[in-house]
Amino acid sequence: MHGICERDLFDFALRSDFESFLKYSVLTLNPGMPFLPNWHIRAIAYQLERIRRGEINRLIINMPPRHLKSITVSVAFPAFVLGHDPRQRIFSISYGSELSLKHARDFRSIVESSWYARAFPQMRLSRSLDDEAATTLKGFRKATSVGGVLTGLGGNMIILDDPQKPVDALSKTRRDGLNQWFTNTLMSRLDNKETGAIIVVTQRVHMDDLSGHLMGGSGHWEVLSLPAIAEVDEQVPIGDDEFHYRRAGTALHPEHESIQMLRVLQNDLGTYDFGAQYQQAPIPEGGAMLKREWIRHYDVAPARKPRTKVIQSWDTAAKDGEQNDYSVCTTILVDGEDYYLLDVLRGRFDFPRLQQVALAHAERFKPTKVLVEDASVGIALAQVLRSKGRFRIEAVKVEHNKQMRFFIQLAKFEAGHVFFPRNAPFMADLLAELLAFPRGKHDDQVDSLSQALACKVSDYTSALMAAMSD
């Protein structure tokens, strides 16, 4: 009797909690491999449950590869949905038939397991083919590939899992072809356009990939974006009135891929591929305002000489505190018409800490001039630095908007006068921000750099030369 009660509780958990259901699905498909629970799985499960309950019917999930997205969305979720309602008609579509058929085999492994049969006794298959599993109540899960035959078929749920290979997304013709196929063909397969559900789960590969195309359209899409490394502090829904508070700089699933491993991947893949596939923040081809071909690198910065100058440029957060924007200091060596970026300091600081960091950074580089934006926290920081009497401080009045300030400096990049350190640890994040601006998530490094490049050094050149001649 005790054993029967435990089994009943187990079956109830499988029916009522998708995360528990997913765990046993993973163990069924990968016996002997551990299931590593994580908050991002709860976040995905919550949005999928909202789809099942009919609260939303358009969902985009953007996340890096190898984080259980296919098993969760394309395999386990259809099994869970059909377990609750065997009348559901589900299409599961991927970029190629081989991948679609693998997901179909995995689906059948779950619904044909003994634990599934106990948990969902009303769900029985009447037909089990390579690409289709049909239920006794006329429901089905049909697997096909993008562009596959769908004529005469209709359903009430469509799941697109990796609808395009990353390499194919580099072709405008293929991107446009997928986007047109989605709009002109796939949408027509929904029995009811208003209530039918569509789920797109994929890594980002291009600004104009299917996710970008759909988010830029008129339809309302719920978007769950899960970058491999958090770029901002955020709260992610994991249940009704339940949130996971994710801190900037943390890995999506540290037990699966540590922050150290992700940084290695970032260096190996490069700014463009890592930004798209892992950070879900694709950079425009060739750059947006700043073109990729304008980027110049150096291996060793010029030695500091009497005629060179070092500029430090602070872009401070609008408010202090860890929940707000970054404060950034770029340090640039100016040698004639050439600008060499020496360092980027970026962090969230309360004001006492910001003072300490700014003073220590100035002591380190002995700048000719320290620029501080004359606004908000920057006003107070300039006053503190000036009161120390050690450095020349200039409070910079803000003129024009961020885009115009950066646009004015683009001629220096195009002429080949701006140089970046080739292997500095901050370069991956900096280039991602520069090339995406103004369409990226952040602009603090761009603003600090614009301010530094705009600095007039001629106003104190004569003073320096006079000091040298004394």
Side-chain angles (χ1 to χ4, degrees), residues 225 227 231-232 234 279-281 433 436 438-444:
S225 180
E231 295 186 342
V232 296
E234 61 180 335
Q279 292 302 93
Q280 315 316 309
E433 184 176 311
R439 300 171 69 179
K441 295 180 181 179
H442 301 289
D443 54 27
D444 41 77

Side-chain angles (χ1 to χ4, degrees), residues 265-307:
L265 279 171
Q266 187 175 32
N267 289 330
D268 290 345
L269 290 175
T271 301
Y272 183 88
D273 289 339
F274 189 84
Q277 297 176 39
Y278 280 79
Q279 292 302 93
Q280 315 316 309
I283 297 167
E285 273 186 288
M289 293 176 66
L290 175 66
K291 302 306 177 186
R292 188 180 295 273
E293 61 266 25
W294 298 349
I295 301 295
R296 300 287 185 272
H297 291 94
Y298 70 85
D299 293 305
V300 180
R304 191 166 181 176
K305 305 169 186 175
R307 67 183 180 85

